[in-house]
Amino acid sequence: GENVEQHPSTLSVQEGDSAVIKCTYSDSASNYFPWYKQELGKGPQLIIDIRSNVGEKKDQRIAVTLNKTAKHFSLHITETQPEDSAVYFCAYNDYKLSFGAGTTVTVRA
Amino acid sequence: DTEVTQTPKHLVMGMTNKKSLKCEQHMGHRAMYWYKQKAKKPPELMFVYSYEKLSINESVPSRFSPECPNSSLLNLHLHALQPEDSALYLCASSQESGIHTQYFGPGTRLTVL
């Protein structure tokens, strides 16, 4: 993902706390921004996505925000649970999916 | 149902072997993809099929040969691989190519000896 910077690379949070992952992209033509969760030994699973005509989207404990002017988008997980532990990838999609480097999230019980 | 299935789950092969990876989806998707994922790295696109025709080849070595026999199936034929080709190979599909949600299968863990 040389066109998408993702931070932090690792994140450890106490159960019940919030987790935030941030991504910055360079291609201003991008209009679709999915987030994937990958558990050990499994393929990436889409958890939420946002399109450029929307600034924020929420699905239960997960929310994504998009700032097209600043070319930032972020994933917010509230009330974290041990099953949220996984690697999370941001991505943007023009003619192909370009992934960030990934964030390993560990939720401590 | 957003399921993409892949077989086998694990594959060990020698450098002189010929093997194939298989992927199947029954969502009526017309775009299918092969990705390669090394440990602790994001997936890297290899090939895209759109309406059963190869539309993108990301400069993949010819020892990897994709095939799309019909709109539900995608194969990846492997021949004369190198140890550095060991990785998780992921298949994905989407309604069409371009800006559409991609759904991934569980992957095939390939080890080349």
Side-chain angles (χ1 to χ4, degrees), chain A residues 30-105:
Chain A
S30 303
N31 288 308
Y32 176 61
F33 305 88
W35 285 88
Y36 287 87
K37 174 185 180 182
Q38 187 171 23
E39 297 176 276
L40 203 59
K42 297 185 178 180
Q45 297 299 306
L46 179 78
I47 54 171
I48 197 167
D49 56 13
I50 192 166
R51 295 187 185 267
S52 60
N53 57 346
V54 175
E56 184 174 359
K57 183 176 178 181
K58 193 172 180 182
D59 182 5
Q60 299 183 342
R61 296 185 297 108
I62 294 173
V64 57
T65 58
L66 171 64
N67 182 331
K68 279 218 81 177
T69 303
K71 298 182 188 174
H72 291 166
F73 57 116
S74 301
L75 179 72
H76 304 253
I77 307 173
T78 58
E79 300 172 30
T80 53
Q81 301 168 3
E83 52 265 38
D84 294 328
S85 296
V87 179
Y88 291 80
F89 292 102
C90 65
Y92 74 87
N93 195 338
D94 42 28
Y95 80 96
K96 67 174 187 177
L97 268 181
S98 294
F99 288 92
T103 297
T104 301
V105 174

Side-chain angles (χ1 to χ4, degrees), chain A residues 93-97, chain B residues 4 6 23 25 29-36 44-50 55-56 66 68 74-76 89-105:
Chain A
N93 195 338
D94 42 28
Y95 80 96
K96 67 174 187 177
L97 268 181
Chain B
V4 176
Q6 290 187 244
C23 174
Q25 57 87 15
H29 289 174
R30 303 315 300 267
M32 296 186 76
Y33 311 78
W34 280 115
Y35 288 83
K36 173 182 177 181
E44 296 176 21
L45 182 66
M46 300 174 72
F47 302 104
V48 180
Y49 271 83
S50 179
S55 61
I56 296 176
C68 190
L74 187 65
N75 298 323
L76 186 63
Y89 287 84
L90 294 161
C91 174
S93 72
S94 64
Q95 189 174 356
E96 303 214 353
S97 61
I99 307 177
H100 290 272
T101 301
Q102 291 187 27
Y103 298 94
F104 285 82

